[in-house]
Amino acid sequence: MRRAWPAAMLGIAALAACSKAPPEPPPAPPPLSKQGLSLSSWKAARPDLHDRLLLANATAKGDTEAMVMVATEVGKTKDVAAAIVALGGDIQTRFDEVGYLRVRLALDRFADVGALPNVLMAHLDGGGAHGLYANDRDRVRYPLSGSSPPPTPSQSTDTLLGNDVGSSSASLSIQIESLLTAAVSNENKVLARDDDGGRLPGGGLDLFALMANRAFEVHSTPLLFAAGAFGRVESVTGASSGRRVISVGEFADNRVPVTASLGPAADGALKPDVLSPGDFANAASEAEALIAAARAESLPADARHIAWALRMSARRVDGLQAHEQGFGVIDTARALELLKQLRDRKLDLPDIQTRAPVKTYLSRFLPEPGVGQGLYEREGWLARQKDTRNITLLRQSGADTPLAYSLQWQGNDGTFKTAQDEVSLPFNQAVEIPLEISAAEVGVHSAQLYLIDKASGLPVHALMTTIVAAEPFTAANNYRVEHREPSLPGASVKRYFLEVAPNIASLRLDAGVGGGQMQLMLTGGELDQLPSKIIAPNQPAVLLVPYPPPGVYEVTVLPTAAGAKDVSVAASIRYVDSQLDDKVPGVNSTTFWLNNIYAPLQRSEIVAEVGARRMLKDVGGASGMRAYNIEVEPGSTTLRVAASPPDGRARIGLYLYDCASGACKLWGSEVFTRPVTKTLVVPTPRAGLWRVVVDATAPGTAFEYTQIVTHPRFGNGTVAGENTARKTGARWNQKVSFQVGAAAPFGYDLVGVMDIIDPDSEADERAAPFSDWQATGDARNQPLRPLRLTTQVLRLDVRGTPASGS
């Protein structure tokens, strides 16, 4: 049964001060740490991909020490500090009340710190003078799939693992310590920040969020952080994703700007919390005004009550979903009225935690894999699909006897249903609430579920539920999703969500506009935002993403001020399955059997090359890492590296560094993807030294490593058969033969490498490029071509081959 909000709560109260002297404010409630409430605490996820990347950087560059940030159990900082000193660490900074240390430490003792008793998490600091990103700002950067187009030059050079790796010039430790210093000083009524500290996956459950929560809980200071300006779903900054932090989004002219970040947080938390008219500084001023007014009227003015009042009193905006606005537009008059009602009705504000399912491409890296602060499932949903989920609530403060709460949905379009309209929460006992979920249409569906205290009628807690019903690529749509919009008004936004399956060789995006202009963006999987593109009439654009990581991708269309007409956006996926004939038809020749699995190919072509291959079996070193040098000679056509666990189960990471200029720069890495074998391919690599780092994740973990460098001097290949159009499901074979040239260097063998490519898609991309790297001269946006749809390798017979001079 739907219940109405209390009428008094919806009234407007003036913040104007009375002419008479205000009464003495009541003593401030003690911080949460003094109220018997346990402070925020959780163990870090393992392996932490930031740390593995930084360790790989250190291994490639020969670094031997680094700064390490440590979070401890409450009250155990002194013991942990002593243990770290015993390991040879040099303590640089300590905040004992919140359980934080920063220490300079030898890298070979880093794992020992994380294993110490009472340590929740120990993370390497990537920035600052001793950061492991040092001297790496000008590296050629690529998203983690290695072969995917790199981000635009305007983006941070440290977004390799998402939005929140941290800047080289302002390390994460600096951001954390400046926050804690400001909280300790108590000089500010409100702490406001507009940076984006945090670590992958930025869901409010990382070290930065832990320290922000504890600063709130120990020092009772309201925290307001800017939500960011990434312009896409699930792009709220890691800094503002913490449970205690108020995440502030932009708001103007009764709408959210198209550049504003949208929720939820990566762990499903209800973010942004509120929207602020004007700039971010306005929200901080409003919060300070509320604190002053509350104190003047002897109302609760501590951090917890102020944060609750700002959230629960925010004014909802019609036409915006929950993930776009959070609780709504900040309204301090309503917040003050809410504080008055809380006092008059003698409500003891409870502290309630939410645990809910999270299913995204990165949710397995949350501290508790697949569980977050709100329900958020970006993967696995289709329109009209039905299923059930459970949300868990835990009341951590208040009466020992159970308390009753009404359940009320806000902003629900019918996607979410609860069989019950109230819940009873015992003290410190988890209670499950089952949900029925079914989305009528494709797209994002979000809503808020409020808990209303039955005794007072006031809202005390809210959580967000969000699912994304994506459009799949299927045989029915010929593995192509297409949308046409006759007209899109200026300053509007249109979003499409595409479900990309695992093991796809190519994602192709086509876009055009008949009138006006539009900006197009593509994000998804583990990719950071790819270069955006302004598209004008008669200037269509084609974007090819090789080996796209699986997941739900967001295509965002932003018309310019004048609007856009006759908008067309289409996406398709391609992959060709292949195998070699068991019976070799002749010396150094084979039959290549092929099957086009997904979208039709206008034409297929096989590129056959000869290369020198090195294969070995090895184990992870002291940090789980192992490095290999590769000397690439001039004229080499490709460099290929791969690593895999022999048991088919161990997690392996692969990092490739270009060291040809003297300073090793990360070229690409293969970490996130689920396939057991990790592979990177560099077309026309620079001559000189390259370095490969294999992350076996633990000392002594076995793996198999392979590298191939193709070069015309080793020989060449010829292909027999037609390069014709191939429809979906087409099967064909082609004979490939190799002529051997120079022998391989000692320790290597010669192999024939066969790549099937999509030449017509590449020609389309060259004719209508999405990236303007040629105009700007910035090679970071250069597409990595050719685009390989499948690869096979054949060991060659080298009898009679001249001896190698290498």
Side-chain angles (χ1 to χ4, degrees):
M1 175 173 138
R2 183 171 295 277
R3 301 177 186 272
W5 290 104
M9 179 188 167
L10 300 181
I12 302 297
L15 289 176
C18 300
S19 58
K20 62 181 181 179
E24 286 293 323
L32 301 187
S33 59
K34 308 296 184 183
Q35 296 181 28
L37 189 66
S38 60
L39 272 65
S40 296
S41 183
W42 56 80
K43 291 283 286 185
R46 284 290 181 262
D48 180 272
L49 296 183
H50 282 278
D51 289 335
R52 305 316 296 178
L53 169 64
L54 295 174
L55 282 171
N57 283 358
T59 302
K61 298 177 182 181
D63 293 330
T64 59
E65 67 172 23
M67 290 292 183
V68 179
M69 303 170 293
V70 182
T72 75
E73 295 281 5
V74 178
K76 299 296 183 180
T77 309
K78 182 179 179 180
D79 296 340
V80 171
I84 291 175
V85 170
L87 292 174
D90 180 14
I91 305 296
Q92 304 285 302
T93 306
R94 276 176 62 175
F95 289 86
D96 286 16
E97 287 185 297
V98 296
Y100 172 84
L101 302 116
R102 176 168 53 86
V103 57
R104 183 181 297 177
L105 187 74
L107 278 170
D108 60 3
R109 306 311 299 267
F110 170 63
D112 297 332
V113 174
L116 289 174
N118 302 313
V119 168
L120 294 174
M121 58 189 83
H123 291 318
L124 295 169
D125 190 5
H130 298 282
L132 297 178
Y133 283 137
N135 303 318
D136 205 19
R137 292 190 63 83
D138 61 344
R139 66 183 181 266
V140 179
R141 297 182 55 258
Y142 300 89
L144 282 168
S145 55
S147 299
S148 300
T152 60
S154 62
Q155 289 180 262
S156 165
T157 59
D158 294 305
T159 56
L160 189 67
L161 287 172
N163 301 333
D164 304 310
V165 171
S167 168
S168 295
S169 58
S171 71
L172 184 57
S173 65
I174 291 175
Q175 297 180 52
I176 290 174
E177 291 161 26
S178 66
L179 171 69
L180 296 179
T181 300
V184 169
S185 71
N186 287 321
E187 294 179 357
N188 306 100
K189 296 178 181 177
V190 172
L191 289 182
R193 301 171 61 95
D194 61 0
D195 52 19
D196 64 349
R199 292 164 67 94
L200 180 90
L205 291 174
D206 57 19
L207 190 146
F208 187 101
L210 177 59
M211 290 302 114
N213 283 357
R214 287 186 174 177
F216 178 103
E217 293 159 346
V218 171
H219 300 292
S220 197
T221 304
L223 307 176
L224 271 68
F225 289 178
F230 295 98
R232 61 185 190 271
V233 172
E234 192 201 327
S235 60
V236 172
T237 63
S240 67
S241 295
R243 178 188 176 202
R244 304 296 191 185
V245 172
I246 299 176
S247 174
V248 181
E250 300 177 57
F251 183 73
D253 301 325
N254 292 320
R255 63 180 178 83
V256 175
V258 295
T259 58
S261 286
L262 307 179
D267 72 335
L270 202 167
K271 300 291 176 176
D273 291 278
V274 296
L275 304 180
S276 174
D279 57 20
F280 171 66
N282 179 65
S285 298
E286 291 283 319
E288 290 188 348
L290 174 62
I291 293 172
R295 288 176 176 172
E297 300 206 25
S298 300
L299 299 172
D302 62 301
R304 190 158 72 108
H305 285 89
I306 292 298
W308 166 78
L310 287 172
R311 290 182 175 114
M312 296 300 172
S313 65
R315 175 170 43 84
R316 293 189 60 81
V317 181
D318 292 339
L320 295 183
Q321 291 199 63
H323 72 281
E324 297 173 304
Q325 63 175 308
F327 289 91
V329 179
I330 194 168
D331 190 326
T332 50
R334 289 159 59 105
L336 186 67
E337 176 64 25
L338 194 56
L339 288 170
K340 291 178 181 178
Q341 294 183 46
L342 178 138
R343 178 195 60 190
D344 296 343
R345 301 180 189 186
K346 298 180 173 58
L347 173 64
D348 181 12
L349 188 63
D351 202 64
I352 299 174
Q353 272 195 329
T354 301
R355 293 177 69 257
V358 179
K359 187 178 180 182
T360 71
Y361 188 68
L362 299 177
S363 59
R364 64 190 186 277
F365 299 116
L366 293 170
E368 185 178 355
V371 177
Q373 300 180 84
L375 186 146
Y376 177 37
E377 298 199 0
R378 187 182 176 108
E379 316 288 337
W381 284 95
L382 302 174
R384 293 173 294 281
Q385 175 184 340
K386 295 182 179 180
D387 213 333
T388 60
R389 297 290 187 270
N390 289 329
I391 291 174
T392 301
L393 299 174
L394 179 66
R395 181 171 63 85
Q396 296 182 295
S397 68
D400 293 333
T401 57
L403 298 179
Y405 301 97
S406 300
L407 299 177
Q408 179 177 324
W409 287 103
Q410 290 287 329
N412 188 8
D413 63 1
T415 299
F416 308 98
K417 295 180 180 179
T418 53
Q420 60 198 76
D421 61 4
E422 64 179 56
V423 63
S424 177
L425 298 184
F427 175 68
N428 217 28
Q429 293 184 32
V431 175
E432 285 191 345
I433 298 178
L435 295 182
E436 297 178 6
I437 305 174
S438 179
E441 300 176 345
V442 296
V444 186
H445 301 268
S446 61
Q448 291 149 319
L449 182 60
Y450 282 79
L451 273 68
I452 313 299
D453 179 64
K454 295 195 73 172
S456 66
L458 296 177
V460 297
H461 181 70
L463 60 96
M464 186 147 72
T465 57
T466 310
I467 67 165
V468 177
E471 295 181 84
F473 295 95
T474 65
N477 61 25
N478 218 18
Y479 302 101
R480 175 183 171 90
V481 174
E482 186 171 6
H483 288 276
R484 295 185 178 275
E485 306 291 344
S487 178
L488 292 176
S492 64
V493 60
K494 194 73 177 180
R495 304 180 191 277
Y496 310 107
F497 295 89
L498 312 172
E499 184 181 48
V500 175
N503 303 320
I504 300 299
S506 169
L507 170 64
R508 171 170 172 160
L509 183 66
D510 293 79
V513 62
Q517 290 185 336
M518 67 178 184
Q519 184 178 12
L520 192 71
M521 296 187 296
L522 175 67
T523 56
E526 113 266 333
L527 294 178
D528 195 5
Q529 182 169 307
L530 294 170
S532 63
K533 174 73 173 180
I534 298 293
I535 300 175
N538 302 316
Q539 295 180 7
V542 175
L543 173 64
L544 300 179
V545 181
Y547 316 113
V552 172
Y553 285 67
E554 177 182 342
V555 180
T556 307
V557 178
L558 306 173
T560 54
K565 296 181 178 181
D566 300 325
V567 173
S568 63
V569 176
S572 54
I573 57 174
R574 289 169 176 78
Y575 171 71
V576 174
D577 191 21
S578 67
Q579 63 181 30
L580 300 182
D581 197 339
D582 292 336
K583 297 180 179 179
V584 179
V587 176
N588 293 339
S589 64
T590 186
T591 300
F592 204 19
W593 297 88
L594 302 150
N595 180 13
N596 185 36
I597 303 298
Y598 295 120
L601 294 171
Q602 301 175 58
R603 183 164 56 96
S604 65
E605 185 176 305
I606 294 178
V607 176
E609 301 176 289
V610 178
R613 178 177 66 179
R614 178 191 184 194
M615 301 177 67
L616 54 85
K617 297 180 180 180
D618 208 339
V619 297
S623 63
M625 302 283 173
R626 190 68 75 187
Y628 306 97
N629 291 340
I630 305 173
E631 286 290 344
V632 175
E633 61 181 290
S636 297
T637 53
T638 65
L639 165 62
R640 305 160 190 253
V641 294
S644 62
D647 62 4
R649 295 190 301 272
R651 188 189 300 274
I652 296 290
L654 183 65
Y655 303 86
L656 181 61
Y657 295 83
D658 179 355
C659 307
S661 63
C664 290
K665 302 176 182 180
L666 183 63
W667 181 89
S669 56
E670 183 71 273
V671 180
F672 286 99
T673 53
R674 297 181 189 276
V676 172
T677 300
K678 302 295 193 296
T679 304
L680 293 169
V681 181
V682 185
T684 59
R686 289 203 299 173
L689 176 64
W690 290 67
R691 187 163 289 154
V692 179
V693 177
V694 177
D695 180 10
T697 70
T701 300
F703 63 88
E704 297 173 350
Y705 168 74
T706 303
Q707 71 183 50
I708 301 174
V709 179
T710 59
H711 195 290
R713 79 178 185 89
F714 294 128
N716 57 75
T718 57
V719 181
E722 296 183 357
N723 296 328
T724 63
R726 309 291 182 183
K727 63 182 180 180
T728 300
R731 299 174 181 268
W732 73 102
N733 63 78
Q734 292 184 277
K735 184 177 179 181
V736 184
S737 302
F738 295 94
Q739 299 296 320
V740 174
F746 179 76
Y748 292 72
D749 63 345
L750 287 186
V751 292
V753 181
M754 296 153 282
D755 296 309
I756 184 166
I757 65 173
D758 183 2
D760 284 8
S761 287
E762 293 177 20
D764 293 343
E765 183 185 45
R766 286 192 296 271
F770 193 85
S771 171
D772 60 354
W773 71 273
Q774 290 175 313
T776 63
D778 194 322
R780 289 180 296 179
N781 286 336
Q782 181 177 1
L784 304 181
R785 301 292 175 260
L787 190 157
R788 296 166 177 83
L789 300 182
T790 194
T791 298
Q792 288 284 1
V793 177
L794 173 70
R795 184 171 183 175
L796 300 180
D797 186 338
V798 297
R799 286 174 293 180
T801 302
S804 172
S806 301

